[in-house]
């Protein structure tokens, strides 16, 4: 078999925090061949951006191999470039200089530099803007500069790190079309494209092959070939079927309660990280579901109806699943009787329902037991965070603490004084168990 | 106007870490070495003759500027080098930053006597004094520049750093296209601050005299002092006008154009209003000479450097090397050994001082601390209301601001001879003059920060306060003071540093052959220098450094953290 353009073998990225190790990526295998447009798709925190940085040599994996044309990669891959989510243009250089600087770093002579930069700007439709500074351009135009800079050095491997997610909907659509035109029309010497995104429709629209990733630990869990010929029509049945399929893969199936809830800190078994979702968003989604006939809807339809991006939608659904307000199966989300009650309840009743549900979540049960045992029902937030750090990486532990405080405050399970960093029981809680 | 921020506390958890103690030990050993050298310092130093003719002023102004420039070049080079090392090092947080943090809170003038004595001991007198002056200004300019550069280096946005790596910008290219532009505005502002602070120390060292040793240097500082001593008000006026003109000129011809030019390096992606403008920059931009300079000299030089950097970094990226490890271990060993040895000697020297000598040191420290507190209190008393007034009324600001800026640009030490001349005949004259000097040195920091703070109060909050019908007193308590608090703390930190510094020159004055002094730590340092009581000089200098560092860590840093956490308007 011919060697791959890019190959990752058993790549792992480990973060150490104290005694514990956390896998940002675990044993990832990936191969990319010439002529392919491959998309890495997954929820935030699944390590897909890290994987892209490892693939280009910006970051070195803790273990595993990165091969480019069969050769182990050392340092940054000179044959690869990246288009960044935040454009990463030098604000103090003009559009032309931004593109030229990439050539200058490769030792291209000044006249040649100018010629090639102008030609590339012309090709992406930026002629007339050569002397403008990035701040004078709209987001879409800025990203065009990003593309021009990445393509002017004629990379074999073009990496795209969520390049459209910071753009408004219309600019993103236009830019996707133009990228496809350049790529499919063979107008750029690029051999392969590797894109990271959390937008499911975008992945199906552009990719030949989708690699679905999961988090904790970050890994590739599925691979889907998109055989729909270009130009793909987002409204066509085969396109929608594929989107539905990807949603189903990413949303998973609702598991029996003990599995969904996981275990408490300090107990054996997997502890479930709480999705970082505000209570208001959950309520909003439940209301929307309650308004649909049968309280059941396809996830992809819900996303387009509510105008939320797929990543956010999946996170809210995950939270609702955890609380027992919805169930998910085959890409459909359905309201449970409890979810229906919540959607119809008034402000105070909602709080009560919410409180009764989060009491069942092991992490809250654990915290309440700690608080009850603590003197005066008070506990330093720092103590709780330290305990969480035994389960999660420090940044994640802080985030988890934030979610716990947020949900707990809403449910009035406990109060938290930010200034003194103290959690305390507001009232004597009902006897648990 | 940006917040004036010399002081940028690092964020270790403990107030005084092991690293800090090492740095303090290092500084002590350094001062000890200086004091040892001082034994050989000449007992009599003939000062320069200072001409009071206004015609001599341009020459003096030139000399002063050259000293400042030399110190600045030194500071900038040091900053670039040290900042780079610190930003690249894994040990930045535990080694490089504590060093800077301690050094920036050390009262610089406290080692003026030691520096002058030590350098004149083995160098020709005039050269020694010149170098001491430059060294002193360097120590006042370098730290905040270094912090600015280091901060910039570590806060370069991750995506720009990654973009530079993926597009293979290395060494000079990265410096030229990424790091320098990103740091430019920061560096320029801090350079302006450094210069403003530098004048203070330049004046002090140009007019430094202890007993029979006349360490004065020909320059604006000694001119002003001589004029005050001889009671020549006309010369005094000439001198002050020259000094102010020089500072304004530098502002207009150097700093404003630089700031206007640096507008392009703003990171924000939106077109901003209120750009800095400069008539001189506009003039330059249109001039043929400037264009020619760029085309003929700077452009080709840049191109040359570019291709040199490309040749140097050609080929695949080098993996980081490990062979330097043994070398650095050896270096650490030697340094550590020297430190321990020096520490032991320094301690022995310190204990040669009779225990009874510590009593006046303690008294002096108390007296100086009281003076500093008084000066800060008086500063706050008038600057907070005025700052609010200016900050809340754009119309008042338009005429008050320039006046205040001119007034603030005069280094307090330049005014000191005038103060002494006016107050010396009053009872407790020097005591009063000392507090006034501290006040003139410190009030501007608080004022400028108060103005900036008042400006930063969001319009919505001001409207809300009015809509709620808060009484003036309630507005102060609920809105203005909390909103100003972080700014006031920032200002007060710098102001307090300035006030401690001022004590050295303020508490002990050789004026027209007479020596005037008052109780204070600064007076003890100067007196010990004059009497050649070197153990006392050493003890008093160390005491001052320790006190100021401890006050910084235990008082100011805590306040700063409270301010950051609770009173920051996001």
């Amino acid at each position: 078999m011919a060697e791959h353009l890019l190959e990752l073998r058993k790549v792992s990225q480990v973060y150490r925090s104290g005694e514990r190790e956390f896998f940002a990526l675990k044993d990832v295998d990936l191969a990319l061949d010439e002529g392919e447009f491959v998309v890495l798709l997954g929820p935030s925190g699944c390590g897909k951006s890290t994987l892209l940085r490892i693939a280009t040599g910006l970051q070195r994996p803790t273990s595993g191999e990165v091969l480019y044309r069969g050769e182990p990669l050392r340092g940054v891959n000179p044959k690869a470039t990246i288009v960044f989510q935040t454009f990463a243009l030098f604000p103090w250089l003009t559009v032309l200089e931004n593109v030229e600087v990439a050539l200058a770093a490769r030792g291209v002579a000044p006249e040649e530099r100018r010629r090639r930069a102008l030609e590339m700007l012309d090709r992406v439709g930026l002629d007339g803007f050569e002397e403008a500074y990035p701040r004078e351009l709209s987001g879409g135009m800025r990203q065009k500069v990003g593309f021009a800079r990445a393509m002017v050095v004629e990379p074999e491997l073009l990496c795209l790190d969520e390049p459209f997610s910071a753009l408004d909907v219309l600019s993103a659509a236009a830019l996707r079309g133009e990228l496809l035109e350049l790529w499919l029309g063979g107008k750029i010497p690029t051999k392969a494209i590797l894109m990271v995104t959390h937008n499911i429709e975008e992945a199906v629209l552009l990719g030949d092959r989708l690699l679905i990733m999961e988090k904790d630990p970050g890994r590739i869990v599925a691979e889907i070939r998109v055989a729909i010929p270009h130009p793909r029509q987002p409204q066509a049945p085969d396109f929608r079927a594929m989107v539905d399929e990807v949603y189903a893969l990413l949303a998973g199936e609702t598991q029996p309660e003990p599995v969904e809830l996981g275990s408490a800190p300090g107990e054996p078994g997997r502890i479930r990280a709480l999705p970082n979702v505000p209570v208001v968003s959950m309520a909003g989604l439940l209301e929307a579901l309650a308004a649909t006939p049968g309280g059941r809807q396809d996830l992809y339809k819900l996303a387009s109806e509510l105008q939320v991006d797929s990543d956010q939608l999946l996170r809210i659904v995950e939270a609702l699943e955890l609380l027992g307000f919805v169930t998910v199966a085959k890409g459909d989300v359905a309201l449970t009787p409890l979810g229906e009650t919540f959607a119809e309840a008034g402000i105070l009743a909602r709080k009560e329902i919410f409180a009764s549900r989060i009491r069942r979540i092991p992490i809250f049960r654990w915290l309440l037991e700690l608080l009850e045992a603590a003197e005066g029902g008070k506990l330093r937030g720092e103590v709780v965070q330290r305990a969480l750090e035994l389960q999660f990486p420090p940044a994640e532990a802080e985030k988890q603490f934030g979610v716990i405080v947020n949900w707990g405050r809403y449910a009035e399970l406990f109060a938290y004084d930010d200034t003194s960093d103290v959690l305390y029981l507001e009232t004597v809680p009902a006897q648990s168990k | 106007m940006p917040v004036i921020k010399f002081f940028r506390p690092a964020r270790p958890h403990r107030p005084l870490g092991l690293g800090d103690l090492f740095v303090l030990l290092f500084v002590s050993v350094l001062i000890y070495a200086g004091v040892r050298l001082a034994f050989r310092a000449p007992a009599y130093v003939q000062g320069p003759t200072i001409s009071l003719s206004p015609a001599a002023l341009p020459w003096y102004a030139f000399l002063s500027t050259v000293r400042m420039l030399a110190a600045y070049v030194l500071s900038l080079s040091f900053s670039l080098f040290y900042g780079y090392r610190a930003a690249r090092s894994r040990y930045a947080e535990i080694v490089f930053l504590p060093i800077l943090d301690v050094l920036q809170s050390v009262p610089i003038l406290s080692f003026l006597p030691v520096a002058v004595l030590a350098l004149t001991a083995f160098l020709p007198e005039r050269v020694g004094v010149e170098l001491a002056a430059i060294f002193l200004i360097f120590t006042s300019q370098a730290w905040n520049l270094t912090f600015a550069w280091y901060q910039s280096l570590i806060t370069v946005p991750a995506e720009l750093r990654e973009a530079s790596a993926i597009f293979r910008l290395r060494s000079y290219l990265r410096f030229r296209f990424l790091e320098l532009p990103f740091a430019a505005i920061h560096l320029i502002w801090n350079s302006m601050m450094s210069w403003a602070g530098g004048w203070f120390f330049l004046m002090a060292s140009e007019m430094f005299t202890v007993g029979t040793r006349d360490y004065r240097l020909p320059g604006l500082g000694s001119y002003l002092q001589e004029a005050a001593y001889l009671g020549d008000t006309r010369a005094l006026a000439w001198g002050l006008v020259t000094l102010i003109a020089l500072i304004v000129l530098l502002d207009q011809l150097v700093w404003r154009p630089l700031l206007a030019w640096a507008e392009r390096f703003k990171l924000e992606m939106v077109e901003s209003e209120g750009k800095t403008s400069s008539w001189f920059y506009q003039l330059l931009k249109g001039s043929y000479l400037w264009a020619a300079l760029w085309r003929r000299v700077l452009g080709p030089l840049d191109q040359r450097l570019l291709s040199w950097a490309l040749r140097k970094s050609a080929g695949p990226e080098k993996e980081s090397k490990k062979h330097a490890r043994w070398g650095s271990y050896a270096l650490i060993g030697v340094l550590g050994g020297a430190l321990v040895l020096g520490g032991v000697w320094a301690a022995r020297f310190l204990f040669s001082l009779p225990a009874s000598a510590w009593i006046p040191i303690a008294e002096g420290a108390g007296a100086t601390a009281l003076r500093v507190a008084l000066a800060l209190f008086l500063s706050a008393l008038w600057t907070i209301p005025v700052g609010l007034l200016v900050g809340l009324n754009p119309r008042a600001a338009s005429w008050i601001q320039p006046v205040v800026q001119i007034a603030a640009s005069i280094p307090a030490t330049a005014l000191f001879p005038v103060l002494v001349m006016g107050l010396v005949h009053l009872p407790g004259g020097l005591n009063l003059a000392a507090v006034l000097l501290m006040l003139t040195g410190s009030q501007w920091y608080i004022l400028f920060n108060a103005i900036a703070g008042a400006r930063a109060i969001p319009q919505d909050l001001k409207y809300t306060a009015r809509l709620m019908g808060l009484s003036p007193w309630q507005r102060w308590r609920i809105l203005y003071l909390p909103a100003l608090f972080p700014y006031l703390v920032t200002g007060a930190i710098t102001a307090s540093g300035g006030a401690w510094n001022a004590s050295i020159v303020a508490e002990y004055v050789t004026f027209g052959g007479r020596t005037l002094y008052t109780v204070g730590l600064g007076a003890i340092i100067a007196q010990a220098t004059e009497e050649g009581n070197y153990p006392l000089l050493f003890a008093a200098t160390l005491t001052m450094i320790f006190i100021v560092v401890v006050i910084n860590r235990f008082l100011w840093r805590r306040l700063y953290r409270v301010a950051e956490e609770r009173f920051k308007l996001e």
Side-chain angles (χ1 to χ4, degrees):
Chain A
M1 195 186 84
E3 69 194 10
H4 300 290
L5 184 68
L6 173 76
E7 189 179 2
L8 271 62
R9 285 189 195 151
K10 290 229 163 290
V11 162
S12 295
Q13 184 72 45
V14 181
Y15 292 108
R16 242 170 273 276
S17 163
E19 310 255 298
R20 302 258 315 173
E21 287 184 345
F22 299 97
F23 283 89
L25 290 171
K26 192 169 187 189
D27 294 334
V28 173
D29 292 312
L30 181 158
L32 190 65
D33 289 316
E34 289 197 10
E36 271 194 310
F37 192 139
V38 171
V39 179
L40 291 168
L41 185 65
S44 47
C46 71
K48 53 191 192 296
S49 282
T50 308
L51 195 58
L52 194 75
R53 275 150 187 73
I54 289 173
T56 48
L58 272 180
Q59 193 174 330
R60 209 208 258 265
T62 314
S63 66
E65 271 187 303
V66 182
L67 302 177
Y68 191 79
R69 291 194 180 281
E71 295 284 321
L73 194 61
R74 247 186 272 128
V76 177
N77 186 347
K79 299 283 167 73
T81 56
I82 299 183
V83 177
F84 294 89
Q85 179 182 11
T86 49
F87 322 132
L89 302 175
F90 298 108
W92 38 82
L93 301 182
T94 62
V95 166
L96 183 63
E97 287 168 334
N98 259 296
V99 178
E100 270 191 67
V101 78
L103 291 167
R106 279 159 208 250
V108 178
E111 301 79 40
E112 171 80 0
R113 232 187 265 164
R114 175 131 313 181
R115 193 187 59 71
R116 280 172 63 183
L118 284 173
E119 195 198 359
M120 183 50 78
L121 286 174
D122 190 34
R123 219 182 301 175
V124 297
L126 274 172
D127 38 350
F129 289 95
E130 295 88 353
E131 296 305 319
Y133 284 92
R135 66 173 71 94
E136 301 171 57
L137 305 180
S138 68
M141 291 296 230
R142 281 181 207 164
Q143 194 57 298
K144 281 190 179 193
V145 183
F147 272 105
R149 181 178 63 177
M151 293 188 298
V152 77
V153 294
E154 311 198 331
E156 289 183 340
L157 173 62
L158 181 62
C159 294
L160 312 176
D161 185 12
E162 309 207 15
F164 309 110
S165 68
L167 305 180
D168 61 284
V169 181
L170 295 176
S171 305
L175 239 62
R176 279 184 208 117
E178 287 171 25
L179 171 67
L180 274 181
E181 191 186 322
L182 289 172
W183 165 243
L184 296 172
K187 292 183 189 161
I188 43 175
T190 300
K191 298 273 193 323
I193 299 183
L194 181 61
M195 179 168 92
V196 158
T197 185
H198 59 249
N199 184 326
I200 295 172
E201 295 221 3
E202 177 177 296
V204 176
L205 184 73
L206 299 175
D208 303 323
R209 195 148 62 88
L210 315 183
L211 300 174
I212 313 290
M213 295 186 69
E214 257 312 329
K215 58 183 178 183
D216 304 319
R219 64 203 187 278
I220 295 175
V221 289
E223 181 178 333
I224 299 180
R225 284 198 178 275
V226 186
I228 310 169
H230 289 284
R232 295 174 184 163
Q233 302 300 337
Q235 300 309 325
D238 54 348
F239 190 96
R240 305 191 72 166
M242 179 123 281
V243 170
D244 196 16
E245 185 187 338
V246 178
Y247 261 109
L249 264 171
L250 274 171
E253 306 271 305
T254 305
Q255 303 292 314
E257 198 177 30
V259 184
E260 277 295 330
L261 294 179
S263 58
E267 285 174 17
R270 261 175 65 77
I271 167 167
R272 175 72 183 263
L274 302 176
N276 188 4
V277 177
V279 179
V280 194
S281 311
M282 297 189 228
L285 188 61
L286 286 177
E287 282 166 21
L289 266 178
T292 43
R296 166 182 290 275
Q297 182 63 287
D298 273 314
L299 278 166
Y300 76 92
K301 282 186 191 153
L302 209 52
S304 62
E305 262 169 37
L306 299 178
Q307 303 266 308
V308 289
D309 79 55
S310 48
D311 191 45
Q312 202 188 348
L313 178 66
L314 288 174
R315 241 181 307 141
I316 303 173
V317 168
E318 187 191 342
L320 292 175
E321 234 182 320
L322 185 66
L323 292 165
F325 290 154
V326 299
T327 54
V328 177
K330 299 198 174 72
D332 287 0
V333 55
L335 215 52
T336 62
L338 199 68
E340 219 176 311
T341 323
F342 184 93
E344 282 160 12
I347 294 175
L348 293 177
R350 278 184 179 184
K351 277 181 182 251
E352 268 173 36
I353 301 173
F354 193 80
S356 75
R357 295 311 293 174
I358 64 173
R359 272 178 202 285
R360 306 172 66 88
I361 299 176
I363 217 167
F364 279 98
R365 223 175 46 221
W366 163 80
L367 182 60
L368 285 175
E369 275 164 17
L370 274 185
L371 274 171
E372 278 159 35
E375 203 181 327
K378 286 184 182 178
L379 209 54
R380 299 266 303 166
E382 207 188 323
V383 176
V384 180
Q385 266 197 57
R386 288 281 165 282
L388 289 174
E389 274 174 24
L390 296 175
Q391 314 291 336
F392 302 104
E396 180 61 33
E398 207 182 319
K399 221 187 269 174
Q400 287 294 313
F401 183 72
V403 180
I404 290 173
V405 167
N406 210 324
W407 291 12
R409 272 174 168 171
Y410 174 78
E412 294 175 31
L413 283 189
F414 49 77
Y416 175 62
D417 180 356
D418 189 67
T419 324
S420 55
D421 186 31
V422 172
L423 282 163
Y424 54 95
L425 290 171
E426 271 195 307
T427 47
V428 181
Q431 209 63 41
S432 49
K433 282 170 289 169
Chain B
M1 183 169 32
V3 182
I4 295 168
K5 224 178 195 182
F6 278 99
F7 187 89
R8 248 180 265 258
R11 43 193 164 76
H13 295 295
R14 281 150 290 146
L16 265 183
L18 201 62
D20 300 323
L21 292 179
F22 265 111
V23 180
L24 279 174
L25 180 64
F26 176 72
V27 172
S28 309
V29 170
L30 212 63
I31 291 176
Y32 168 72
V35 172
R36 290 308 301 194
L37 277 171
F39 276 104
R40 299 196 299 152
Y44 177 79
V45 175
Q46 170 78 51
T49 6
I50 305 292
S51 158
L52 285 187
S53 150
L57 273 171
W59 173 241
Y60 287 150
F62 173 76
L63 285 178
S64 294
T65 315
V66 169
R67 274 175 210 124
M68 288 283 284
L69 191 64
Y72 176 69
V73 170
L74 202 63
S75 305
L76 194 61
S77 325
F78 170 85
S79 301
L80 292 183
F81 175 77
Y82 191 95
Y84 243 124
R85 282 311 305 269
R88 293 282 154 80
S89 170
R90 279 178 297 153
Y91 304 112
E93 295 271 325
I94 53 171
V95 181
F96 288 95
L97 291 191
I99 292 181
L100 273 188
D101 200 38
V102 170
L103 285 179
Q104 73 170 344
S105 50
V106 165
I108 292 155
L109 275 183
S110 71
F111 51 78
L112 171 64
V114 178
V116 174
L117 286 171
L119 286 168
T120 49
F122 65 95
L123 288 170
E125 281 162 26
R126 303 261 52 96
V127 180
V129 183
E130 285 286 357
L131 283 183
I134 291 172
F135 172 71
L136 203 70
I137 303 168
F138 162 79
T139 52
S140 75
Q141 290 182 334
W143 321 134
N144 65 306
L145 272 177
T146 311
F147 259 116
W149 175 237
Y150 170 78
Q151 285 286 340
S152 297
L153 283 179
I154 60 167
T155 51
V156 169
E159 80 263 13
L160 286 184
R161 207 163 256 308
E162 285 183 338
S164 303
I166 206 85
F167 292 107
R168 298 153 70 76
L169 301 181
R170 295 181 206 153
S171 67
Y172 175 71
L173 271 90
R174 188 174 48 206
F175 179 73
R176 160 89 163 70
F177 289 110
L178 177 66
E179 288 159 348
L180 198 58
F182 181 71
I185 295 183
H186 244 79
L187 278 181
I188 294 172
W189 272 111
N190 275 279
S191 297
M192 292 173 68
M193 297 308 138
S194 282
W195 273 72
W199 290 111
F200 181 95
F201 299 100
L202 177 75
M203 291 297 132
S205 44
E206 279 182 351
M207 58 177 80
F208 188 56
T209 310
V210 182
T212 56
R213 299 191 184 102
D214 184 351
Y215 291 120
R216 288 181 307 166
L217 290 164
L220 286 178
S222 46
Y223 182 93
L224 286 170
Q225 195 227 25
E226 184 83 4
Y229 159 46
L230 294 176
D232 188 341
T233 18
R234 222 172 61 95
L236 206 54
W238 272 112
L240 282 178
V241 167
T242 311
L243 181 62
I244 294 171
L246 180 60
I247 292 172
V248 170
L249 217 61
L250 281 170
D251 182 63
Q252 290 295 313
L253 299 187
V254 179
W255 301 121
R256 291 281 134 193
L258 270 174
L259 277 178
W261 170 76
E263 279 289 329
R264 69 185 63 191
F265 300 129
K266 281 201 174 144
L267 198 60
E268 62 215 51
M269 276 290 179
V270 281
E271 291 278 10
S272 56
E273 294 161 40
K275 285 183 178 174
T276 316
S277 59
S278 157
W279 58 271
F280 190 62
Y281 177 62
Q282 292 303 328
L283 203 75
L284 268 185
K285 238 175 36 174
S287 82
Y288 172 76
L289 203 69
W290 185 251
L293 183 71
W294 178 251
R295 208 175 49 243
R296 295 277 165 75
V297 186
L298 298 178
L301 184 72
D302 182 48
Q303 199 53 47
R304 201 54 84 71
L305 278 167
L306 262 175
S307 40
W308 164 81
L310 279 173
R311 242 177 298 129
K312 226 189 85 194
S313 64
E317 216 168 357
K318 285 179 211 98
E319 303 280 312
S320 61
K321 286 174 230 151
K322 286 186 178 159
H323 72 81
R325 181 169 287 182
W326 285 109
S328 57
Y329 280 157
L331 192 68
I332 289 170
V334 169
L335 269 182
L339 209 56
V340 169
L341 202 65
V344 171
W345 281 342
R348 281 214 334 244
F349 188 64
L350 202 57
F351 287 120
S352 73
L353 199 67
S356 62
W358 288 98
I359 296 167
I361 290 182
E363 283 171 1
T368 305
L370 272 180
R371 257 180 227 119
V372 171
L374 186 61
L376 283 186
F377 176 71
L378 291 176
S379 302
L381 217 54
W382 82 265
T383 52
I384 296 177
V386 172
L388 262 178
L389 185 76
V390 176
L392 294 178
N393 302 298
R395 244 172 309 158
S398 64
W399 65 269
I400 295 184
Q401 194 113 330
V403 175
V404 165
Q405 268 173 344
I406 298 270
S409 71
I410 309 172
T413 39
L415 290 176
F416 190 52
V418 187
L419 282 178
V420 174
M421 189 176 75
L423 297 170
V424 76
H425 305 293
L426 297 176
L430 192 64
N431 217 337
L432 197 60
V435 174
L436 271 179
L437 174 71
M438 290 175 178
L439 187 78
T440 37
S442 55
Q443 58 197 352
W444 308 116
Y445 298 120
I446 306 185
L447 178 63
F448 284 140
N449 276 289
I451 294 176
R455 280 223 182 130
I457 300 176
Q459 190 62 45
D460 293 355
L461 285 184
K462 284 187 266 180
Y463 283 148
T464 311
R466 265 177 41 202
L467 287 170
M468 290 195 299
L470 297 182
S471 70
W473 167 239
Q474 282 172 321
R475 273 187 225 181
W476 268 82
R477 210 165 44 87
I478 297 173
L479 178 59
Y480 297 150
L481 284 181
L484 285 192
F485 186 71
Y487 293 87
L488 292 178
V489 171
T490 310
I493 290 173
T494 317
S496 128
W500 278 96
N501 262 320
S503 69
I504 313 280
V505 282
E507 293 173 350
Y508 183 97
V509 186
T510 310
F511 193 73
R514 277 196 307 151
T515 300
L516 306 167
Y517 59 92
T518 173
V519 182
L521 199 52
I524 295 176
I525 291 176
Q527 210 162 7
T529 311
E530 176 170 4
E531 291 163 0
N533 188 348
Y534 295 123
L536 183 63
L537 171 62
F538 184 54
T541 307
L542 281 190
T543 307
M544 181 173 284
I545 290 172
F546 272 97
I547 288 176
V548 174
V549 169
V550 165
I551 289 179
N552 264 341
R553 291 303 169 85
F554 286 91
L555 177 66
W556 293 124
R557 176 170 290 174
R558 246 170 235 191
L559 281 177
Y560 191 86
R561 204 171 298 156
V562 171
E564 286 273 293
E565 283 170 8
R566 292 210 28 212
F567 294 104
K568 207 158 181 193
L569 285 168
E570 310 264 11

